Amino acid sequence: MASSATRKPGSQGVGSGSAGAPAVDLRGVSVGFQVPGKGQLLAVDNIDLTAHQGEFVAIVGPSGCGKTTVLNMLAGLMRASAGTVERHGRPVEGPSRDIGYMLARSALTPWRTTRRNVELGLEIRGVPKGQRREKAMDLLRLLRIDHFADAFPSQLSHGMQQRVAIARTLAIDPDLWLMDEPFGALDAQTRVKVQSEFLALWEGSPKTVIFVTHDLSEAVLLADRVIVMTARPAKIKVDVRVDVERPRRPADQLFDPRLEEIERAIWEELRSELV
């Protein structure tokens, strides 16, 4: 790969919180699944991946290569067949209250209003009504949908629903944000707007983001590093540093020459995995 942004697999980027134990650390991780009639299927093969506090890491790769599997291991929803999965130097042994996991679909509760959807996690944790209402409205204002606080999901556009899902995820103040194609269902213009609002919330925070996407432009635009995974069984092919300063503004930087150069270089690495 011709770009100076390329790093060897497993190499560490320099995030805003690179001191101390890594926020995320996978070492020699493999995952196998038992498939009826076919025996053991190896999905992830001996990967090493480290992310430091405050770092934004995007993962790209062919469909079905194990990207979501990595998120599920970090969320404590499944275990590795081999290797170790740690957060802040401690093994991940199950779900944690300081993780926010956002999926491609907003998955909002249809009978709850916008505000009450955002409050859901806080309500489950026993946060008093006044406090959770204040927190929800603060986030809705930041995401510019506070005027729809009393609307139901069916009354919102897809972009608005994703904003509500972001607010619901962030309301619990997670230390680690796991995001699986969170903007994939949005049209191009809405996606840029929601990306911008999301970055405005994250940039300058100590939160760590692990972000799965099929959109190379999105990965390069948002992340500090882009991890390219091979076809199954997935290995880490390259670890690319996005050496473009923050803050970034998607609406202004869609055609940034340096971002486009990095995206082309990543595509050259990825295209052979799609055959």
Side-chain angles (χ1 to χ4, degrees):
M1 188 167 173
S3 171
S4 62
T6 306
R7 307 178 68 89
K8 294 181 179 179
S11 62
Q12 299 175 7
V14 183
S16 59
S18 57
V24 166
D25 196 21
L26 286 73
R27 293 292 167 190
V29 168
S30 296
V31 179
F33 297 99
Q34 198 67 31
V35 179
K38 295 186 178 181
Q40 184 82 354
L41 174 67
L42 188 61
V44 175
D45 185 16
N46 192 32
I47 68 170
D48 296 334
L49 173 60
T50 297
H52 292 285
Q53 193 72 32
E55 198 168 23
F56 193 130
V57 177
I59 302 176
V60 301
S63 294
C65 75
K67 300 182 294 296
T68 299
T69 297
V70 171
L71 296 187
N72 288 337
M73 286 189 291
L74 289 171
L77 301 178
M78 64 180 298
R79 292 183 177 272
S81 304
T84 60
V85 180
E86 295 183 346
R87 291 188 55 226
H88 301 293
R90 298 184 296 274
V92 174
E93 297 178 339
S96 171
R97 291 167 66 94
D98 67 345
I99 292 177
Y101 199 157
M102 185 175 169
L103 306 176
R105 294 187 177 183
S106 62
L108 300 178
T109 305
W111 57 86
R112 296 176 73 104
T113 64
T114 292
R115 177 178 57 78
R116 294 196 65 232
N117 262 287
V118 177
E119 291 179 12
L120 181 59
L122 299 173
E123 185 176 330
I124 291 171
R125 295 183 180 194
V127 175
K129 184 176 181 179
Q131 291 182 28
R132 63 179 189 252
R133 180 188 179 98
E134 181 180 2
K135 179 71 171 179
M137 290 307 299
D138 284 346
L139 286 167
L140 292 175
R141 276 190 288 271
L142 286 170
L143 290 165
R144 304 179 188 180
I145 47 172
D146 50 306
H147 296 305
F148 295 89
D150 295 322
F152 290 91
S154 62
Q155 298 171 307
L156 305 178
S157 69
H158 287 308
M160 290 177 182
Q161 290 176 18
Q162 286 302 94
R163 289 183 178 92
V164 177
I166 291 171
R168 183 183 57 187
T169 302
L170 303 188
I172 60 173
D173 195 28
D175 175 68
L176 175 63
W177 302 352
L178 303 177
M179 310 188 78
D180 193 357
E181 296 273 7
F183 312 134
L186 303 178
D187 66 83
Q189 294 176 8
T190 303
R191 185 182 306 130
V192 170
K193 187 177 296 184
V194 176
Q195 287 169 342
S196 297
E197 290 163 350
F198 172 69
L199 276 184
L201 285 171
W202 172 78
E203 284 181 330
S205 80
K207 311 301 184 180
T208 306
V209 180
I210 309 296
F211 187 101
V212 164
T213 181
H214 283 95
D215 187 333
L216 296 189
S217 177
E218 177 174 73
V220 173
L221 187 61
L222 300 182
D224 297 314
R225 292 160 55 205
V226 179
I227 306 297
V228 180
M229 298 182 75
T230 67
R232 192 176 62 239
K235 298 177 179 290
I236 292 179
K237 187 171 187 179
V238 288
D239 181 341
V240 179
R241 174 77 176 170
V242 183
D243 52 1
V244 175
E245 291 185 358
R246 296 189 184 276
R248 297 184 198 157
R249 296 294 172 258
D252 299 328
Q253 292 178 273
L254 280 176
F255 305 104
D256 181 288
R258 180 56 182 154
L259 291 175
E260 288 187 326
E261 178 186 0
I262 296 171
E263 182 182 348
R264 283 196 300 270
I266 291 173
W267 169 244
E268 290 303 318
E269 293 290 343
L270 182 60
R271 67 189 303 175
S272 62
E273 302 301 325
L274 304 179
V275 176

